[in-house]
Amino acid sequence: MTPSSRGPSNDLRRAGLTRDRVLGAAVQLADEEGLDGLSMRKLAKRLGVEAMSLYNHIPGGKERLLDGMVDFVFDEIDVPAQDGAWKQELRDRAVSTRAALRRHPWAVGLMEARPNPGGSNRRLHESALACLRNAGFSVEEAIRAYSVQDAYIYGYALQERTLPLDTGDAWRGVAKTQLGDADRELDAYPSTTQVLRHIAVHGFSHDEQFLVGLELILDGLEQRLHGSKKA
Amino acid sequence: MTPSSRGPSNDLRRAGLTRDRVLGAAVQLADEEGLDGLSMRKLAKRLGVEAMSLYNHIPGGKERLLDGMVDFVFDEIDVPAQDGAWKQELRDRAVSTRAALRRHPWAVGLMEARPNPGGSNRRLHESALACLRNAGFSVEEAIRAYSVQDAYIYGYALQERTLPLDTGDAWRGVAKTQLGDADRELDAYPSTTQVLRHIAVHGFSHDEQFLVGLELILDGLEQRLHGSKKA
DNA sequence: ACCTGAACACCGTTCAAGT
DNA sequence: ACCTGAACACCGTTCAAGT
C-alpha cells in the first residue's frame, strides 16, 4: 500500500544519497548559516546520516565539497550568447552573476579561488571570451575586458555582502543610527558625516549603484575597442 | 652582567605581552600559513605562552583579533592628500592598497566585511572622500567614485590571490602546463585555448593589467566629473 | 594583574568493523 | 556498496585556581 513498496526495488529506501543531493544540501546549509556554519557533521545530520558516510559520495572530503558547491553557483549564472551584441551580453552576465552571489554570499570569496575549476565555470569563461572575440576584441584586449569586469563584479559583491540592504528605508535607518553613534566624532570625519547625512535623506540603492559602475566600465571597454580598431 | 638585569625592574622578563605584540604576531602567522593556519593555540605558542592568556590582551577573542589585524593592514595603506590632484591621489591609494593586499592575502575577504571598522580604516575612508569632494565631485558622485574604485581594487586582489605570479616566465610556464593538461578539451574551449596560447607566448603582468584597468575607471570618473560640472 | 590546567563543546578525517 | 562507532588530532572559549 505504501508508495515505496511499489518501486522497482525495495532497497532504495528514503535515503538514496547522491553526490548531487549532498551538494544541494550543502549549498542550502551555507545559504542559511554561512560558511562557518557548514560542517560535515551538521550536513550529515540534515541528510539523516552520520558524517563519515559523506565521504562515500564526496571523495576528496570538504575541499572537494567546496569545489562542487562553487560550480553549483556557477551553474546558476546565465551564459552569454556569442553573437555580436557584446555589451548587452556582458551586462546580462554581470547582473546574473551579482544575483547569484546575493543568493549565495558565502561563495563570493571562493568563486575565483578554486584551483580545480568545474565545468560550469569553464563553459561560462569560454562563452564570455568568445563573445568578446567575436565582437572584435583582440586576444589581449579580451583578457583585459574580462579581467576588469570580473574584478568589478566580485569586488562589488564583496562590498554588498557586508550590508545587503534592499530598500531606501533600511539605508536611511542605518545612516541615522551611525550618525547617532558617532556624535562626538563628526568633526573628525566631516566628509564621512556628509555622506551619512546624504544617505539618511536620500537612501541608497545597490541595484542602481552596481549598474552605473558597470556602465562606466562597459563604456570604457567600448572606447578601447573603437580605439584599437582605428589604430 | 646580562642586559636584562640592568632593566628598570627585573619582572619585565622577556614576555611583556601587549595587544600590539599579539596583533603583530597574528599578522605574521597569517602571512605565513593563511587564515586557516591562524589558531589561538598556535599564536600563543609563538609568543611563548598558553592560548588562554591571549584573552587577557584581546578582550573579544578571535573575532576582535581579526578586527585588529584588518586595521593593522589598513594602517599600511597610504592616505591620500586632500588637495586638488584627485586622479593621482586615487591612483596612489589604489596601488598602495593592492600592494598591502599582496603582502597580506588573507585580508582580502575581510577588509570591507568587519562590522566594527578601526581607526585606520575610517581615516583612509575620510581622506579619500574629502579628496573627491575637494576635486568637485558631488556627495552622490563621490560615493559612486569610491564604490566603483574600491570594488575594482578588492575584486582585482581577489583574482590575483589565486595566481600571484610576478614574472612573465612563471606565467608562460603555467599556460603551457594547462595547455598540456587540457589536450582533448582544446576543441571544446577554443577561445580559452587561444588565451592560454597567447599567455604561453607573451606572458602576463599583474602590474600592467591592474594599472590599465585602474586607468579605465579613473578616466570614466573624470568624464562623469566634467559632465556634471557642465550640467 | 597576568598566567594556566582542566574541561566543554565542537571540528575534519581515518579505519576497522558491520550489513 | 554503503554505513557507522570509536578514535585521533585538532579547534575556540570558560572558569576556577594559582602567583
Side-chain angles (χ1 to χ4, degrees):
Chain A
M1 296 282 272
T2 66
S4 61
S5 64
R6 307 228 310 345
S9 72
N10 58 359
D11 59 326
L12 265 181
R13 303 271 178 192
R14 64 144 180 68
L17 216 49
T18 302
R19 194 191 117 95
D20 280 353
R21 271 195 67 209
V22 174
L23 237 49
V27 167
Q28 202 185 331
L29 181 54
D31 289 347
E32 293 171 18
E33 308 195 14
L35 217 48
D36 287 341
L38 173 73
S39 75
M40 299 300 271
R41 284 164 146 101
K42 275 201 259 182
L43 175 57
K45 187 164 283 177
R46 287 220 172 186
L47 293 161
V49 97
E50 295 298 319
M52 309 77 196
S53 77
L54 295 178
Y55 291 81
N56 288 315
H57 302 94
I58 311 287
K62 194 172 189 183
E63 209 56 33
R64 291 265 194 105
L65 177 68
L66 290 173
D67 283 342
M69 292 169 69
V70 165
D71 214 50
F72 187 102
V73 176
F74 268 114
D75 195 46
E76 292 183 356
I77 301 171
D78 293 334
V79 173
Q82 306 194 0
D83 58 20
W86 69 273
K87 222 172 163 182
Q88 186 57 38
E89 293 297 333
L90 256 62
R91 185 161 35 226
D92 288 349
R93 182 188 74 107
V95 168
S96 175
T97 303
R98 170 173 167 252
L101 293 174
R102 265 190 82 115
R103 286 192 296 272
H104 312 293
W106 51 267
V108 178
L110 303 178
M111 297 292 279
E112 308 214 304
R114 298 278 97 190
N116 307 314
S120 298
N121 181 354
R122 299 225 298 280
R123 275 188 293 277
L124 179 65
H125 195 241
E126 169 66 25
S127 295
L129 284 175
C131 175
L132 288 162
R133 291 287 288 127
N134 290 340
F137 285 86
S138 69
V139 175
E140 193 170 4
E141 284 298 314
I143 297 173
R144 227 187 275 293
Y146 196 89
S147 162
V148 175
Q149 210 212 7
D150 256 28
Y152 176 68
I153 297 169
Y154 287 103
Y156 198 95
L158 208 57
Q159 292 177 348
E160 189 172 6
R161 187 171 60 162
T162 305
L163 281 176
L165 305 181
D166 266 327
T167 73
D169 273 353
W171 275 104
R172 280 186 279 273
V174 167
K176 277 173 194 158
T177 305
Q178 291 210 12
L179 283 168
D181 288 352
D183 237 5
R184 291 146 296 165
E185 298 187 341
L186 296 185
D187 290 347
Y189 303 100
S191 299
T192 306
T193 303
Q194 229 180 8
V195 164
L196 288 173
R197 288 223 177 90
H198 182 92
I199 293 176
V201 174
H202 299 93
F204 180 83
S205 162
H206 270 306
D207 285 345
E208 190 217 347
Q209 183 84 328
F210 178 72
L211 285 174
V212 171
L214 180 62
E215 221 54 33
L216 184 153
I217 286 170
L218 291 174
D219 286 346
L221 293 176
E222 190 166 38
Q223 284 175 27
R224 287 187 73 88
L225 175 62
H226 293 151
S228 69
K229 270 181 177 166
K230 279 170 191 162
Chain B
M1 296 281 274
T2 67
S4 63
S5 65
R6 306 227 315 338
S9 72
N10 59 359
D11 60 327
L12 266 180
R13 302 272 178 192
R14 62 147 180 67
L17 216 47
T18 303
R19 193 190 118 95
D20 280 353
R21 270 195 67 209
V22 174
L23 238 48
V27 168
Q28 201 183 332
L29 181 54
D31 289 347
E32 293 170 19
E33 308 195 14
L35 217 49
D36 287 341
L38 174 73
S39 76
M40 300 299 271
R41 286 164 146 100
K42 276 201 260 185
L43 175 57
K45 188 164 283 180
R46 287 221 172 184
L47 292 161
V49 97
E50 295 299 318
M52 309 77 196
S53 76
L54 295 177
Y55 291 80
N56 288 317
H57 302 94
I58 312 285
K62 195 173 188 183
E63 210 56 32
R64 292 266 194 104
L65 177 69
L66 289 174
D67 283 343
M69 291 168 69
V70 165
D71 214 51
F72 186 102
V73 175
F74 269 114
D75 196 47
E76 291 183 356
I77 301 172
D78 294 335
V79 174
Q82 306 194 1
D83 59 20
W86 69 273
K87 223 172 164 184
Q88 186 56 39
E89 293 297 334
L90 255 62
R91 184 160 37 225
D92 287 350
R93 181 189 75 106
V95 168
S96 175
T97 303
R98 170 174 167 251
L101 293 175
R102 267 190 80 114
R103 286 192 295 274
H104 312 293
W106 51 267
V108 177
L110 304 178
M111 297 293 279
E112 308 213 305
R114 298 278 99 191
N116 307 313
S120 298
N121 180 355
R122 300 226 295 280
R123 275 189 292 277
L124 179 65
H125 195 240
E126 169 66 24
S127 296
L129 284 175
C131 175
L132 288 162
R133 291 287 288 127
N134 290 339
F137 285 85
S138 70
V139 175
E140 194 170 5
E141 284 298 314
I143 296 172
R144 227 187 273 294
Y146 196 89
S147 162
V148 175
Q149 211 212 7
D150 255 29
Y152 175 70
I153 296 169
Y154 288 102
Y156 198 95
L158 209 56
Q159 293 177 346
E160 188 171 7
R161 187 170 59 160
T162 306
L163 280 177
L165 305 180
D166 266 327
T167 72
D169 273 353
W171 276 103
R172 280 187 279 273
V174 166
K176 278 174 194 161
T177 306
Q178 291 210 13
L179 283 169
D181 287 354
D183 237 6
R184 291 146 296 165
E185 298 186 342
L186 296 186
D187 290 347
Y189 303 101
S191 299
T192 306
T193 303
Q194 231 180 7
V195 164
L196 288 173
R197 288 224 178 91
H198 183 92
I199 293 176
V201 174
H202 299 94
F204 179 85
S205 162
H206 270 305
D207 285 345
E208 191 218 346
Q209 183 84 327
F210 178 73
L211 285 174
V212 171
L214 181 61
E215 220 56 32
L216 184 152
I217 286 170
L218 291 173
D219 286 347
L221 293 176
E222 191 166 39
Q223 284 175 28
R224 288 187 72 89
L225 175 61
H226 292 151
S228 71
K229 270 182 178 166
K230 280 171 192 162

